[in-house]
Amino acid sequence: MMKSEHNSFPYNDTEWNNIVNDAFTSDAQPHVFSERYARRKQQMLHQIEESPMRSHKFHMKKSMTALVAVAAAVVILPTAVYASTQIRGYFQTKDGVYQQEVVIPKSESVSDQIMALQVGWMPEGMAIDPSCGKYKDANGRGITMLFYKMDNKDDALTYTVSYSVSQETLTCGNNTVLYAVTDTTGKSGEVIFDKEVWVAFPDSNYAVQFYATTDVTKEEIEKIAENLSLTPSDKETAELWSGEPQEETGGTDEVYKVDDYTIQQIGDTIRSDFYDEKDADTAPYVRTTAKLDSVSVQDNFDGLPAVDGIGRPVDYSQYLNADGTVKDDVRTWYSRGDGVNTLDTKIKEETVPQRVLVMHLTYTNESSITQEICVCPNLIQKNGDSMDYNEVACEPRSDTTYCNGTLGELKYGEFFLFTTDREHSKNNITNVAPGESVEATVAFLMDADEVQNLYADILGGGEKTVISLGDLQ
C-alpha cells in the first residue's frame, strides 16, 4: 500500500510490520508509484536498517546484517561461555542531564577466533520473526536485538543514549549489562520501545545491543542478558561497529506551481505511456489510461467494504462514533526536547473533524499485451500558486514541534481503502487484457477543512496532468 512521505517512524510496531509486509517482502509486486512514494519507500528501506530510536533524533547507519545475525541464532542453552568477573562497560555522562554515553573498552587479550551469538532464553511465547529480526509475542511485546564486533581501529565501542531518564550498570551471570530507560513522552501506539540495553561479554570484543518495549520487565531483560553467550564459529555474523550514529538531515520536497500542470475535469481520460524494458523488443510501450468517474465526500464508511488500502479485510468500527459517523482526529502537539538537557513536552490538544473522500475510477489497458495496472492515485492541494501533495495529518510542521493523532493509522495522506471486483495483488489489478477496462474504488480520510482546492493525479506516477475536484462538501 502507498504511504505518504514523512520524517518519522511509524506510530507503532503493528503499523511498521504492516508496511514491511505490504511493501518490502520478496514477493512484493512492482508498482508505478508517485515520486513522493518512491522517496518514502527508500526511507522505509533505510529505516528498517536502523534501531528503533526516537524518530526525530539520531539514525543508525547500519545494515540488516546485525539483525539477521540475531535472527539466525538458535535459541539454546549456552554451551561455551567464557567465564570472567570483569566489568566490561560503563555509562558516563556526556553533555547533559538526559544524555549518557555507553563505553565498552576493547579487550586486548582475545584471540582472532570468530564467535557467534547464542540466545539462551526468551520470555515464554516470544519468538523471532526472521523477516525483521525482532522477537515478539501475541501481546505485542517486542525486543529488537543487534550483534556487533568492535572495529580494530577503535579503543572502545562508544554509543550515545539520548532521552535517558535512568541508567544502571548490572552484572548478569558473566556479562556486563548497561541498562537505560528512555522517556516515552510523545510516543504513541500500543507498542512503545523505552529500554536501550547493551550487553558486553567477558574477554571479547563482541557486544549485543537490544531495545525492549515498555511491558518487558527489568527482570526479564536481566535473564535475557544472563543467557546471551558466544560460541566459536567459522562464519562471521556480527556487524562491524563503525562508530557513533550520525545525525541525519532530511531533504525537502520539490515545489510545483499551478502552471506546471495540465488541469482536466472529472470524466476526462488521462493517458500515460510507461516504457517497459522487459518487453522492449515486442511491445516497447505499456499504455494505460485512467478516468475519474466520480468523487464524493461523506462522514461515515457507509457503502464501503471493510477492506484496507490493499484490499484485505479490516475492522473500521474502532474509528466510528456511536451514531456511525467517523470519529474526530484528536491530535496532541509536543515541543521537541533536545534529549540532552530537555525532554519533549505537551503543548496542546486539538480535535479535528474528519471526512471520507471516495473516488471511483476506471483504468484501460491500451497496449497489445496483458498487463498489471497499479491503482495508486494521489491527492494534491492548491495553496496559493503552489501545488502540494496531501500530507500526513501530523507531518512535522517544523523542527521544534510534532503531533500524534488518534486516527494515525488511517491518516497517511494517501488512500486507506482499495477495492475492485477483479483479481488483484495488493493495489495492483492483475491480468488486464489488451483493450480491457477495469474499475476500482479508493477512499481517503481527510480533515473536513481540506476538502477544497483539491486535484487528483489518478495515474499516480507524478503526472503533470491532474483532475480538478473543485470544492467538495
Side-chain angles (χ1 to χ4, degrees):
M1 178 181 177
M2 305 188 312
K3 306 296 180 192
S4 179
E5 179 180 11
H6 57 100
N7 298 320
S8 64
F9 286 150
Y11 292 107
N12 55 49
D13 234 23
T14 300
E15 177 184 330
W16 172 256
N17 291 330
N18 285 340
I19 293 173
V20 172
N21 292 334
D22 295 346
F24 308 120
T25 55
S26 60
D27 62 347
Q29 299 296 318
H31 296 250
V32 181
F33 286 124
S34 68
E35 296 173 9
R36 284 174 61 88
Y37 177 79
R39 290 194 297 271
R40 178 60 176 154
K41 180 169 180 177
Q42 286 303 115
Q43 182 186 41
M44 288 292 189
L45 285 169
H46 174 64
Q47 288 180 334
I48 195 174
E49 299 171 355
E50 302 167 342
S51 61
M53 299 173 68
R54 298 186 67 90
S55 62
H56 54 277
K57 295 305 291 182
F58 297 101
H59 295 275
M60 304 267 301
K61 306 290 186 179
K62 304 299 175 193
S63 76
M64 274 291 285
T65 305
L67 283 170
V68 172
V70 177
V74 179
V75 181
I76 61 174
L77 292 177
T79 57
V81 178
Y82 290 76
S84 174
T85 58
Q86 70 182 73
I87 299 297
R88 284 294 328 285
Y90 55 90
F91 284 109
Q92 65 181 14
T93 301
K94 193 173 182 184
D95 298 319
V97 179
Y98 302 110
Q99 191 172 74
Q100 295 287 322
E101 186 172 57
V102 168
V103 181
I104 302 177
K106 181 183 292 182
S107 175
E108 301 295 343
S109 60
V110 297
S111 71
D112 294 330
Q113 172 64 53
I114 295 172
M115 305 298 285
L117 175 66
Q118 300 295 335
V119 182
W121 183 87
M122 276 286 163
E124 183 177 358
M126 191 168 286
I128 197 162
D129 179 352
S131 68
C132 63
K134 292 182 180 181
Y135 289 89
K136 309 174 192 175
D137 66 14
N139 298 318
R141 304 197 314 157
I143 291 173
T144 299
M145 189 175 290
L146 303 103
F147 184 39
Y148 293 111
K149 185 178 183 178
M150 296 184 201
D151 195 311
N152 290 331
K153 67 183 180 182
D154 296 323
D155 294 328
L157 181 155
T158 59
Y159 168 83
T160 300
V161 179
S162 298
Y163 291 89
S164 176
V165 293
S166 68
Q167 55 279 327
E168 188 175 356
T169 301
L170 308 167
T171 299
C172 299
N174 295 305
N175 300 331
T176 300
V177 180
L178 305 177
Y179 173 85
V181 178
T182 57
D183 183 49
T184 60
T185 301
K187 292 186 177 182
S188 64
E190 296 178 358
V191 180
I192 296 174
F193 288 84
D194 73 330
K195 301 174 183 71
E196 299 190 23
V197 183
W198 282 88
V199 179
F201 302 96
D203 301 320
S204 167
N205 287 326
Y206 288 90
V208 169
Q209 177 191 31
F210 68 87
Y211 297 82
T213 53
T214 53
D215 43 9
V216 177
T217 67
K218 180 182 176 185
E219 289 73 20
E220 288 175 319
I221 287 175
E222 290 176 337
K223 190 168 182 179
I224 292 169
E226 180 181 355
N227 287 280
L228 292 177
S229 63
L230 302 174
T231 57
S233 175
D234 58 0
K235 180 182 179 181
E236 186 65 83
T237 54
E239 172 79 1
L240 190 66
W241 179 257
S242 58
E244 186 69 41
Q246 302 173 10
E247 187 170 4
E248 181 170 297
T249 57
T252 57
D253 287 342
E254 187 174 354
V255 176
Y256 295 106
K257 302 296 185 182
V258 175
D259 292 343
D260 295 331
Y261 291 85
T262 298
I263 298 174
Q264 295 192 356
Q265 305 303 312
I266 296 172
D268 290 344
T269 297
I270 308 298
R271 174 175 285 102
S272 183
D273 294 334
F274 296 108
Y275 183 68
D276 189 342
E277 294 182 357
K278 294 182 297 183
D279 301 299
D281 295 334
T282 58
Y285 291 96
V286 173
R287 298 181 178 88
T288 301
T289 64
K291 180 164 62 76
L292 177 58
D293 300 311
S294 65
V295 60
S296 60
V297 173
Q298 56 195 61
D299 62 0
N300 51 47
F301 297 134
D302 291 358
L304 298 174
V307 294
D308 67 8
I310 55 175
R312 301 175 305 183
V314 68
D315 180 11
Y316 285 124
S317 62
Q318 61 182 309
Y319 303 112
L320 294 175
N321 296 310
D323 63 358
T325 58
V326 179
K327 288 182 178 179
D328 295 339
D329 192 26
V330 181
R331 298 172 191 163
T332 305
W333 287 87
Y334 301 88
S335 64
R336 299 188 191 279
D338 60 12
V340 181
N341 290 300
T342 58
L343 300 176
D344 295 7
T345 56
K346 179 178 176 180
I347 303 173
K348 64 177 181 178
E349 190 172 274
E350 61 180 346
T351 300
V352 184
Q354 298 297 296
R355 297 291 183 268
V356 178
L357 186 149
V358 182
M359 296 171 58
H360 298 285
L361 303 132
T362 298
Y363 295 85
T364 301
N365 176 12
E366 292 196 347
S367 66
S368 59
I369 60 173
T370 297
Q371 64 166 302
E372 183 173 285
I373 295 178
C374 178
V375 179
C376 43
N378 292 306
L379 291 178
I380 304 172
Q381 195 153 40
K382 179 183 175 183
N383 293 309
D385 63 349
S386 67
M387 301 281 273
D388 301 322
Y389 279 88
N390 185 52
E391 294 190 347
V392 178
C394 279
E395 178 116 6
R397 300 301 195 266
S398 72
D399 293 333
T400 59
T401 61
Y402 67 98
C403 83
N404 292 323
T406 54
L407 300 182
E409 293 188 2
L410 297 186
K411 294 287 290 182
Y412 286 115
E414 300 183 6
F415 59 85
F416 69 88
L417 178 149
F418 159 78
T419 184
T420 180
D421 60 4
R422 291 293 305 268
E423 179 184 354
H424 64 94
S425 173
K426 301 179 182 177
N427 54 309
N428 277 14
I429 301 178
T430 55
N431 300 317
V432 183
E436 185 178 14
S437 295
V438 292
E439 296 179 350
T441 297
V442 298
F444 300 77
L445 191 64
M446 306 285 295
D447 290 358
D449 61 358
E450 288 185 341
V451 288
Q452 53 191 342
N453 296 321
L454 284 176
Y455 298 80
D457 167 14
I458 58 176
L459 281 168
E463 298 293 320
K464 292 302 185 290
T465 299
V466 295
I467 303 296
S468 173
L469 304 185
D471 291 340
L472 302 169
Q473 300 298 326

